[in-house]
Amino acid sequence: MSYKVVVSDTKVMDGETRAAVLNAVDATVQTIAAKEPAAVARAVKNADALIVDAGTQVTAAVIDAADSLKVVGRAGIGVDNIDVQAAVDAGVAVVNVPEYSVEEVSTHTFALVFACLRKIPTFDRSVKRGEWEWSVGQPIRRLAGSTVGLVAFGKLASRFAAKLRGFDVDVVAYDPYAPEYRMGDLGVEPVAFETLLADSDIVSLHAPLTDETRGMIDADALDRMRDDALLVNTARGGLVDETALYDALTSGDLGGAGLDVREAEPPGDSPLHDLDSVVCSPHVAWYSEASRVELTQTVAEDVIRVLRGEEPENPVDPETGWF
């Protein structure tokens, strides 16, 4: 039996791997550039499966428009762009890749921390201008002895916490859904959100984007942070109010920020880009060649399982909270 599989945005998927896996079920693959619900709905009308990235909106209207849809595969971890409850109610399975890029994102988080703390972009620009002056990066604080606060404590934050071992830092975390023993196993102290903000030299965000977390780093949260603190976001751009972040940085109420994800992607001509205290990357924390192949294989194989009437390995529960 032949199946129709619609795929949005192939940048996160390895084409050769995807073809090899989907050919096993004689699948016809249609690649679309659509992101908005109306366009996605038109594309999936006769599709058996839909595989999407973070930017493609799979709303209840999209689910309703799909006559034969059996499964939505999220090429990644977060499913905030998918109406999972609407899909489940319609008998459509939703699968994701819960182990996706854990190694890459935790490493990239470290890279942003070090780039910000050690002022690497500032020194790089200075040297390339023909200068050779250590003081252009003043002040630089020592990582050892600092407190790192993790907002959410799922797989990504856990891996980052494990990598922090050996750096002589204290690690605290806020996650109302994670069992405390999971934090204790890694020497992480569970704390209230307000305590984390007040006590941390570095605040690293790892939460999904939900109604509960959207804009959680607002003017009030930034005001609670230390004036020399560093904010790092490799999770979701919508967690941070960027206007409030800019105000905090320019008023001296925050030391710096490392941002891989943004409120709008691409962010356009943001005033944050004028600040030396901000280090940016283009939502690339997920990427390595190995992670791209693993992602493609995992999500495509789970989609095949559903199409064959088998149980998927990574079903998404509509009640799932933070990851």
Side-chain angles (χ1 to χ4, degrees), residues 202-221:
I202 300 165
V203 174
S204 184
L205 306 181
H206 300 276
L209 185 61
T210 66
D211 290 340
E212 181 182 1
T213 63
R214 187 181 298 276
M216 67 189 306
I217 304 300
D218 56 11
D220 180 64

Side-chain angles (χ1 to χ4, degrees), residues 3-22:
Y3 298 98
K4 179 181 177 181
V5 180
V6 174
V7 178
S8 77
D9 196 345
T10 58
K11 71 179 174 62
V12 299
M13 300 193 71
D14 178 69
E16 184 176 342
T17 304
R18 185 191 68 204
V21 175
L22 293 179

